[in-house]
Amino acid sequence: MRLPHFAPLPASLPATVPFVGPETLERQRGAAFPARLGANENGFGPSPKAIEAMAQAAGEVWKYGDSTSHDLVHALAAHHRVTPAHILVGEGIDGLLGLTARLMLAPGDAVVTSDGAYPTFNYHVAGFGGVLHKVPYRNDAEDPAALTAMAREVGARLTYIANPDNPMGSWHEGDVIAAMLDELPPDSLLLLDEAYVEFAPDSAVPAISHDDPRVLRFRTFSKAYGMAGARIGYVIGHPDLIAGFERIRNHFGVNRVAQAGALAALGDQDWLVQVQGRVAAARNRIAAIAGECGMTALPSATNFVAVDTGRDGSHARAIVQGLAERGVFIRMPGVAPLDRCIRVSCAPEIELDLFAEGLPQVLSEF
Amino acid sequence: MRLPHFAPLPASLPATVPFVGPETLERQRGAAFPARLGANENGFGPSPKAIEAMAQAAGEVWKYGDSTSHDLVHALAAHHRVTPAHILVGEGIDGLLGLTARLMLAPGDAVVTSDGAYPTFNYHVAGFGGVLHKVPYRNDAEDPAALTAMAREVGARLTYIANPDNPMGSWHEGDVIAAMLDELPPDSLLLLDEAYVEFAPDSAVPAISHDDPRVLRFRTFSKAYGMAGARIGYVIGHPDLIAGFERIRNHFGVNRVAQAGALAALGDQDWLVQVQGRVAAARNRIAAIAGECGMTALPSATNFVAVDTGRDGSHARAIVQGLAERGVFIRMPGVAPLDRCIRVSCAPEIELDLFAEGLPQVLSEF
């Protein structure tokens, strides 16, 4: 008996995964990573109030989650001074980027991003038949002028930029991002991934009207709020764009426990401030460790630091590999010249100690 | 400034929702439902071990979930005596049905289901451009012969059947389901939704080879395992079909806390047996309550009971409405003649007491 054929679009796609998860790497090496510094998770954790809310909600997990995430949407609307109609809660930014690709792209449509930017976005674009056009980073940052120029050249339906950026940690002032909107071609949408924005200076947040129909802004509870495993994020945009998702989203897809946790996390802004402080201190520590090894930490407005190894991608890759063998999980950018760097997530002291210990050992072996 | 246009397929779809959730109804009425009997949730709840596992995992929610759900997949493989390559864990059956539609359907492809069967499946099919062909229920059950005949007639790519069925609670012997495979057209896939199968007699489980490439079987932790809000389910099928999902799925989409809970729930089969017993008792109680009101409960192999009101859809709708006003949330089938019934989920005594109290009151007012 033959396997039924897949639809033409999926049939044309490779079986792939944007990232190999740390658990998979742990199984390959046969031991856990005592230092988990590779996935830009937030080891300082969520607010204790969020943990408590989730533990409480676990007892009510027999109920489906509210399909409208009503309470969370309303709290977010108040937080961002918009109406609830401007916000959709979804299964993390990854899930929301997938839905956005589906909502906006017909096969063959042009999409612009930076070469070396978020692979999961590229995965979703390819998954709906979009054609990616990539522009290079410039000075280790995404290049707004190049992105919009390419968008005009190819008539992009979607243009992606993360501010602050992953994997480099660089950022632009909000004015620069806002100015991109006027440079985009007509009938085009800017996808502004603000996953790390709570770690950035206030001036990195663009003053864009929430009724501007040319942009969707993506936020998450995975990073500053420390809830990556809960899979909950949101998108802010013009109500008619937000309403578009009702055509395609999986309405009961957001975990009930995650909704309760996110609501509590949002309500504990004091904890967020503490985390921001710890992250800033950890960035300094990572920079110091790098400096002691003759490497240069790049400025970061995120909860990770790209460290310039001073050599090339194969050198950086050897460091990543050497650290992994010592139980220190980090990652690195995927394309040159960014791949001269290693990328180290902020984490509690005890994990950074292992990085501080392992890095000179690895280097001494070369 | 004009809104960027949606892609043609989403642009052709209505903004819709397969179900209005109970929280939305509660907000509309301005009060909670003391009896939540409408969503086929399992008010007996998950295993206390699952709750404990989830409460524990909440403290580790800063980590992304394992993208391969390795431990859960391996436990499920052992449970079903298949290899891990036969199983994919995903965000509930709803999410997995959406992925299946995406994997298999090109716009215009034919899909067969029963008129009145699971609306969320229809929503996903429409969402990927599939064309639905519906056959009527027969004797309040899905009609395997009619489904396969229609599948041959229209050259269906997908044929959907739930066994046991929702919303009627009816079921077929496993032999009947297995025999459908030989009646399907070539290059066609049977989607066997077994969301409720843990409540059914063993004989309802078809003895289909897990290497049979003509079928995907969908299971969930939402029903018998009492974890609807955790959004976690799985699909069992030929490894080459299962591998196909790697082309399109959101790899890090499954909640970490849900994975931990599901693993613990699967490991507590004693609790499952207890729940099965309580559900069976609740079915009897619902039937008795219905009988006292001159109505007939249909046989059920699920955790809900379809109760024949003896009249038509508008009568049933009035009962649903009247009960809602009394704080008792139930639902009803959407199409005639199934809609002569109301559908009542099994639940703890205290909630069924409210149903027992409310139903005669509602009827006395007509």
Side-chain angles (χ1 to χ4, degrees), chain B residues 27 141 189 196 316 360:
Chain B
R27 284 187 292 272
L189 196 56
Y196 297 96

Side-chain angles (χ1 to χ4, degrees), chain A residues 192 194 205-208 210 215-219 234-237:
Chain A
L192 175 56
E194 298 187 313
V205 181
I208 298 172
H210 291 300
V215 59
L216 288 174
R217 302 170 77 150
F218 297 84
R219 301 285 186 104
Y234 56 105
V235 54
I236 311 173

Side-chain angles (χ1 to χ4, degrees), chain A residues 307-332:
Chain A
V307 173
D308 187 339
T309 68
R311 293 176 58 183
D312 67 358
S314 61
H315 180 66
R317 197 159 294 112
I319 294 174
V320 170
Q321 181 59 33
L323 284 172
E325 288 165 7
R326 284 167 177 77
V328 179
F329 166 56
I330 65 168
R331 283 197 177 119
M332 60 179 287

Side-chain angles (χ1 to χ4, degrees), chain A residues 5 7 10 13 16 23 41 61 63-64 68 103 123 127 157 187 223 229 231 247 249 251-252 256, chain B residues 5 7 10 13 16 27 41 61 63-64 68 102-103 123 157 187 223 229 231 247 249 251-252 256:
Chain A
H5 76 270
L13 300 171
T16 184
E23 285 79 7
E41 295 159 332
V61 78
K63 299 179 184 176
Y64 285 100
T68 67
L103 185 62
Y123 170 81
R157 296 276 296 133
D187 198 32
K223 303 299 180 183
R231 306 289 59 216
R247 300 159 185 255
R249 75 185 185 98
H251 293 80
F252 287 86
R256 185 179 190 91
Chain B
H5 75 271
L13 300 171
T16 184
R27 284 187 292 272
E41 295 159 331
V61 78
K63 300 178 183 176
Y64 286 99
T68 66
R102 182 175 164 200
L103 185 62
Y123 171 81
R157 296 275 295 133
D187 198 32
K223 303 301 179 185
R231 306 287 59 215
R247 301 159 184 253
R249 76 185 184 98
H251 293 80
F252 288 85
R256 186 179 189 92

Side-chain angles (χ1 to χ4, degrees), chain B residues 312-330:
Chain B
D312 67 359
S314 62
H315 180 66
R317 198 160 292 111
I319 294 173
V320 170
Q321 182 59 33
L323 284 171
E325 289 165 9
R326 284 167 177 78
V328 179
F329 166 55
I330 66 168

Side-chain angles (χ1 to χ4, degrees), chain A residues 10 34 65 119 320 349 364:
Chain A
V320 170
E349 283 293 311
S364 72

